[in-house]
Amino acid sequence: MPEIILHHYPLSPFSEKVRVTLGLKGLAWRSVDIAPLPPRPLLEPLTGGYRRVPVLQIGADIYCDTNIILPALERLYPAPSLYPAGSEGVARGLAFAWERAMWVPTIGILSHFIGDQLPPEFIKDRKEGYLGFDMSKTAMAPELHLHRQRVAAQYAWLKVALADGRKFIFGDAPSALDLACYQTIFLLRKNCPAEVDAMAGHDGPLVPWFDRIGTIGHGKPEPMSAEGAMAAARDATPAAVTHIQPDGDPGGLRAGASVTVTPDDNARVPVSGMLVAASDSEIVIRRSDPQAGDLHVHFPRLGFDVVAA
Ligand SMILES: N[C@@H](CCC(=O)N[C@@H](CS)C(=O)NCC(=O)O)C(=O)O
């Protein structure tokens, strides 16, 4: 199998979820450091315009969004599982719910501590190309009390879940849900002064749980240039899709149909391609790019709109 390549940047918390997944599975991987804001001229041809981070690449297969990256790594490298103790459905659903509910309030708290240190071009990019709102400290301050409440209320149920002293949410082994909860907390604890813990409610059983996940590590990364990743795509052919069906789209779209796939929350850039296979939880489209050649681009269904083009 071609190498695992992760396009990411160190402070990206969604990327941290994938890095810890690679650590949990003990995998060797190639690390492509990308700019924290566009342009990303050697990444966009691989994704077809999807602008968020991280992106996982295995040869000419490109995986956009952690909600497809984690299931793909689980399918290709099943042990140890990201879904211990029969937790797959609950872990996938609650991870999605946590990240959706937590993202904006977490940014509200982050902005309170470091929003006035962010470069204006970063604030502008996030407003115009990603979040759709101004994440500067001044703009977010009026709702800080609400963001704080929302974050604390989510941490509260997680503390109840961990209160009996279990190591992870489902018992002795970490799951994709632990990693999703971890990543939003990582964003705050990595970037803010220690007072953030009191504001968000990072106390009690969250403390050893967070530290435990922090010791999992990132597996075995080796740096790779963006040019190297492009060459790896060009030199590979997309893997045959056998785990989902050409006519598996629940809306009746068939293999060969022209479709667009667009995030339904933020950075809503449509990616166009030809449907290769689909299910109610995944979609694979085929694209050809002058630099990268033929690609399969994989998306989760949760959080994306698929329509005939
Ligand atoms: N649902 C996506 C969310 C990814 C996301 O929002 N990533 C952030 C960085 S952690 C991002 O793309 N920020 C804008 C950017 O880097 O261009 C996923 O699970 O991968």
Side-chain angles (χ1 to χ4, degrees):
M1 196 175 327
E3 292 179 301
I4 299 170
I5 302 170
L6 184 65
H7 299 257
H8 65 134
Y9 52 89
L11 286 177
S12 157
F14 282 93
S15 302
E16 183 67 7
K17 181 166 72 154
V18 178
R19 292 185 292 255
V20 177
T21 297
L22 294 162
L24 185 64
K25 290 184 176 289
L27 293 169
W29 54 283
R30 304 301 299 271
S31 168
V32 180
D33 224 338
I34 57 160
L37 61 163
R40 296 162 176 154
L42 291 176
L43 181 57
E44 202 184 301
L46 297 178
T47 63
Y50 175 78
R51 84 143 268 179
R52 299 189 305 203
V53 177
V55 172
L56 186 89
Q57 174 188 352
I58 301 182
D61 283 82
I62 309 296
Y63 297 86
C64 299
D65 193 291
T66 61
N67 293 309
I68 190 69
I69 294 174
L70 268 62
L73 288 171
E74 178 78 4
R75 175 165 57 78
L76 299 169
Y77 303 94
S81 178
L82 287 169
Y83 309 114
S87 65
E88 179 162 1
V90 175
R92 285 168 71 147
L94 268 184
F96 180 80
W98 173 279
E99 288 173 343
R100 274 290 161 105
M102 288 296 261
W103 196 229
V104 172
T106 299
I107 290 172
I109 294 184
L110 179 79
S111 173
H112 171 71
F113 287 104
I114 66 157
D116 52 0
Q117 298 153 39
L118 296 171
E121 61 276 16
F122 184 91
I123 306 257
K124 181 174 178 334
D125 169 68
R126 290 321 195 240
K127 179 173 177 193
E128 290 172 5
Y130 173 58
L131 296 169
F133 61 82
D134 181 342
M135 67 174 288
S136 66
K137 180 168 177 168
T138 329
M140 295 205 83
E143 298 221 325
L144 176 64
H145 62 297
L146 298 177
H147 296 314
R148 202 213 129 259
Q149 291 171 35
R150 290 171 186 147
V151 167
Q154 296 278 356
Y155 284 21
W157 74 252
L158 184 53
K159 283 185 267 191
V160 173
L162 297 167
D164 62 2
R166 65 184 62 207
K167 288 191 178 152
F168 300 102
I169 298 170
F170 296 107
D172 285 339
S175 68
L177 177 57
D178 292 276
L179 304 190
C181 297
Y182 176 81
Q183 67 92 350
T184 68
I185 306 175
F186 165 90
L187 178 65
L188 294 179
R189 302 198 80 229
K190 188 85 181 169
N191 292 291
C192 301
E195 303 97 90
V196 73
D197 284 350
M199 179 179 281
H202 186 81
D203 52 35
L206 282 194
V207 176
W209 166 87
F210 184 89
D211 292 345
R212 222 172 267 133
I213 297 174
T215 64
I216 294 172
H218 294 161
K220 296 172 225 76
E222 283 286 337
M224 180 182 241
S225 65
E227 290 77 10
M230 180 61 77
R234 198 171 42 238
D235 295 345
T237 43
V241 181
T242 52
H243 66 291
I244 53 172
Q245 301 308 314
D247 57 357
D249 176 60
L253 292 166
R254 302 283 166 181
S258 290
V259 296
T260 61
V261 185
T262 313
D264 68 9
D265 53 347
N266 55 38
R268 304 192 58 183
V269 183
V271 178
S272 304
M274 189 197 84
L275 193 148
V276 173
S279 71
D280 44 14
S281 56
E282 303 186 14
I283 180 160
V284 186
I285 63 172
R286 190 175 186 94
R287 303 183 45 256
S288 285
D289 176 83
Q291 288 181 79
D294 289 341
L295 303 166
H296 278 178
V297 190
H298 303 244
F299 297 92
R301 301 304 289 260
L302 266 179
F304 286 79
D305 294 334
V306 176
V307 293

